[in-house]
Amino acid sequence: MAEKNYYDILGVSKDASDGDIKKKYRKLVRQYHPDVSDDPNADAKIAEINNAYETLRDKDKRAEYDAILANPFAGQGGFGGGAGFGGGNFGGNAGGFRWEDIKDQFGEGGSFNGGAGGFRFDDIFSAFGGGARGRQSRGGFDDFGGSFQQNQQGQDQHAEISVDLASVYTGDDYSIKLNVPTRNAMGQVDYENKTLKIKIPKGITEGKQIRLSGQGAAGMGGGKNGDLFLKVKITHPSNIRLDGANVYQTVNIAPWEAALGDKINITTPAGTLGVSIPKNSKSGSNLRLKGKGIPAKQAGDLFLTLNIVNPEVKTDDERAAFEQLKQAFSHSTITR
């Protein structure tokens, strides 16, 4: 089956006007932008859409691409769409450059963790080797064996940053260290060590992205750098579960607190809170504290899931106390 060409990717005809192409491009970007799309392949689709639009919006490149479509055997090694690159290309279609492949290649080391730096963009380039070529266009040749366009903007980068739940409640400052490729006046790749300070917004939820303008891949021929998008992963203790802005926390209580009711102090992500345990509470029941979840634009709730824990019996007096308890509730029926 033939690969999709750039017109298919944007969903326009080959005789579409510049205005129609621009209109469809904007619609697709809004649809698949990682900040709003639930599509698990949104990042790859955005890269594919951008790649197609960068060619079709330019009169000369579009004419060159149309010529390749008309005679595909003459266009090998050109664009990343219908004609295709060799192995490790930057095209938007099958066999093309996908950020998911980078994560698979480098594993967890490809994540940005606050303060500890592991992700290196030069590792990306070395992973694809000499077969990785830039888009064919007017300008000069880059060091990957392809050519680059004057004033071409660098590609956006996507990665992950881990932040703790306490930082989400209060907002916090993080630092990450990068070793990123830049281009010198000759268009050759140099490397620069950077430490970026990142403001973690108060109330940000799992999966949202922080955009760092100009911190993506270097532009070519004097073009602007791309942007860096950091997807937020929230770390938290094992007794806590997140559901959007809602927080679920398992809380251990004593049998007498559950049976008689009591007021206890509990350490939560929202601080130390005084909580009233209702009489005859059961394990697994939830106490809802409205507005004490993640303080997002619409604050979530904090749900305390009660877990009744029996104390360990060690002495004769403690055993006698439980015997008395057994006798006192001998009339009770427990459904098993």
Side-chain angles (χ1 to χ4, degrees):
M1 182 179 294
E3 295 178 343
K4 289 190 299 183
N5 61 48
Y6 287 158
Y7 295 99
D8 294 334
I9 291 169
L10 295 182
V12 297
S13 64
K14 291 184 180 180
D15 59 353
S17 67
D18 293 345
D20 289 339
I21 290 173
K22 187 174 184 179
K23 182 178 180 181
K24 195 59 181 285
Y25 167 74
R26 289 179 173 177
K27 180 179 180 181
L28 290 173
V29 168
R30 287 194 297 268
Q31 179 180 350
Y32 290 109
H33 195 284
D35 284 347
V36 298
S37 177
D38 295 326
D39 191 317
N41 297 317
D43 287 346
K45 288 183 178 179
I46 281 291
E48 185 179 62
I49 291 164
N50 284 336
N51 196 35
Y53 181 65
E54 284 299 316
T55 296
L56 297 187
R57 73 170 183 167
D58 183 278
K59 181 180 179 180
D60 292 333
K61 288 199 290 181
R62 183 178 178 182
E64 187 177 358
Y65 181 68
D66 287 343
I68 292 174
L69 290 182
N71 186 10
F73 296 101
Q76 295 299 323
F79 293 88
F85 285 86
N89 67 77
F90 286 84
N93 297 311
F97 182 88
R98 303 190 319 137
W99 289 111
E100 298 89 275
D101 295 338
I102 296 171
K103 295 177 183 177
D104 293 340
Q105 185 85 357
F106 297 99
E108 289 302 319
S111 297
F112 287 104
N113 293 315
F119 194 91
R120 290 167 45 95
F121 288 123
D122 47 327
D123 290 340
I124 296 172
F125 292 113
S126 61
F128 287 89
R133 292 184 287 177
R135 297 188 186 94
Q136 183 176 345
S137 58
R138 297 181 179 177
F141 283 88
D142 64 18
D143 62 337
F144 300 113
S147 57
F148 62 90
Q149 180 188 8
Q150 295 292 340
N151 299 318
Q152 181 171 320
Q153 183 169 333
Q155 198 170 37
D156 292 341
Q157 312 288 353
H158 295 265
E160 187 176 84
I161 182 171
S162 296
V163 301
D164 59 70
L165 186 57
S167 297
V168 171
Y169 266 78
T170 61
D172 205 350
D173 293 324
Y174 275 63
S175 294
I176 60 172
K177 294 181 179 180
L178 306 177
N179 189 350
V180 299
T182 60
R183 290 186 182 272
N184 60 27
M186 300 298 295
Q188 298 171 326
V189 175
D190 289 329
Y191 294 93
E192 177 184 358
N193 292 315
K194 283 187 178 181
T195 299
L196 301 180
K197 292 185 177 181
I198 303 169
K199 179 68 176 178
I200 304 300
K202 177 180 177 180
I204 195 168
T205 52
E206 181 97 11
K208 294 295 185 182
Q209 296 194 95
I210 299 173
R211 174 175 175 258
L212 302 181
S213 179
Q215 299 299 335
M220 293 185 287
K224 294 181 179 179
N225 291 352
D227 297 332
L228 174 61
F229 292 87
L230 299 178
K231 186 176 182 179
V232 172
K233 178 177 176 59
I234 300 175
T235 60
H236 49 76
S238 59
N239 68 326
I240 287 179
R241 176 173 65 87
L242 303 181
D243 182 12
N246 292 329
V247 178
Y248 292 79
Q249 178 177 344
T250 299
V251 176
N252 295 331
I253 61 173
W256 50 89
E257 292 171 336
L260 304 177
D262 203 350
K263 186 168 184 178
I264 61 176
N265 292 325
I266 300 174
T267 300
T268 74
T272 300
L273 303 176
V275 178
S276 295
I277 306 298
K279 294 180 181 179
N280 297 317
S281 291
K282 295 178 173 58
S283 278
S285 58
N286 286 319
L287 304 181
R288 178 189 178 203
L289 303 183
K290 186 175 177 60
K292 295 298 183 180
I294 293 177
K297 185 175 182 180
Q298 183 174 352
D301 298 330
L302 173 62
F303 294 87
L304 302 179
T305 303
L306 302 181
N307 180 44
I308 299 174
V309 179
N310 289 311
E312 184 178 355
V313 177
K314 296 181 179 179
T315 67
D316 291 340
D317 288 342
E318 291 171 346
R319 278 189 286 273
F322 270 92
E323 284 293 339
Q324 292 179 357
L325 184 65
K326 178 180 176 180
Q327 294 298 323
F329 287 91
S330 60
H331 62 283
S332 299
T333 301
I334 298 178
T335 303
R336 304 184 190 280

